Amino acid sequence: MTFRPIGIFDSGLGGLTVLAALRTRLPREDFIYFADTRFLPYGNRSEAFIQNRSRKIARTLAAKGVKAIVIACNTATAAAAETVREAVTQPVIALEPAVKPAVALTRTGVIGVLATSRTLSSNRFQRLVQNHASGKLVISQPCPGLADAIEIEGPESVRVESLLDAYVPPLATAGADVVVLGCTHYPWVLAGIAARLPGNAVIVDTGEAVARQVERRLQGERLPGGYGQLRIATSGNPRQVHETIARLWGVSLHVESWRL
Ligand code: DGL
């Protein structure tokens, strides 16, 4: 069997929350995870910048022989899903804030969405809300600084705590009973978000739904199978990424340095 991993990327290590769901669902698949940490965060960058980076990353992954590409970043999906699809011939699986499942879950009719400014201001997100949440009140809460604080200072850092204090309670005050994690970094601070919401609030993440979608795509394209291997690469400092993974996942993994 030839080595045909699934390529997966994010601005940093938020996409590891998606990778974890993928590895649980598809333990025999091989993965190459690319963290674009040299350019983290994507959340306040221009659309053109994110499109350029995403195109470059997708082509690099394609050149390494991946059989599919997962965009494990809401911000890159919002800005560049079409760009990535045009850049490569492999199936591309993108993710978006779980507004549709939230509509089915809400009882108060108020849904909170935590995401980057770039995701929330995108046409793609506006369309998602218009097409699937009409009749509901969707409160979009941009969270500048949160993804990078989680990654650089750690999920339990003082900085993260104070950002959560600023971003989460307004959703509770507005009556949101469902809160969507619209950025793949945020599952790392799930407990901190839950602690700032009423006990009966539901928090929705996309990791598992994406894993199911990847599984369906691979079966549909007759592409499943591998050895269960994982490679990690970064455009930034491999040592730093190694340390962050050790802190977040508690494992010591070799991290490759890719100049792109
Ligand atoms: N993890 C990313 C997302 O899902 C982006 C965070 C960032 O780089 O700003 O949106």
Side-chain angles (χ1 to χ4, degrees), residues 55-133:
R55 184 186 300 111
K56 215 174 240 184
I57 295 165
R59 286 193 176 146
T60 303
L61 288 168
K64 299 212 182 259
V66 300
K67 60 185 173 189
I69 292 180
V70 180
I71 309 178
C73 176
N74 292 271
T75 310
T77 297
E82 300 322 316
T83 308
V84 171
R85 290 201 166 103
E86 280 162 22
V88 296
T89 52
Q90 286 81 351
V92 174
I93 296 96
L95 53 81
E96 61 191 4
V99 170
K100 286 181 245 175
V103 167
L105 288 166
T106 182
R107 285 165 190 275
T108 60
V110 184
I111 296 165
V113 183
L114 299 166
T116 66
S117 310
R118 172 62 53 209
T119 296
L120 296 174
S121 64
S122 67
N123 291 335
R124 201 181 168 102
F125 180 75
Q126 306 298 333
R127 271 201 311 273
L128 182 70
V129 172
Q130 270 160 23
N131 294 343
H132 298 282

Side-chain angles (χ1 to χ4, degrees), residues 10-15 39-44 72-76 95 115-116 119 147-148 182-186:
D10 179 34
S11 59
L13 298 170
F39 299 103
L40 173 91
Y42 278 0
N44 43 13
C73 176
N74 292 271
T75 310
L95 53 81
T116 66
T119 296
D148 30 324
C183 168
T184 53
H185 278 78
Y186 303 166

Side-chain angles (χ1 to χ4, degrees), residues 148-173:
D148 30 324
I150 291 169
E151 187 156 328
I152 295 161
E153 298 179 47
E156 272 122 47
S157 60
V158 175
R159 173 101 184 113
V160 165
E161 291 292 320
S162 78
L163 290 172
L164 292 180
D165 279 341
Y167 300 146
V168 183
L171 300 179
T173 309

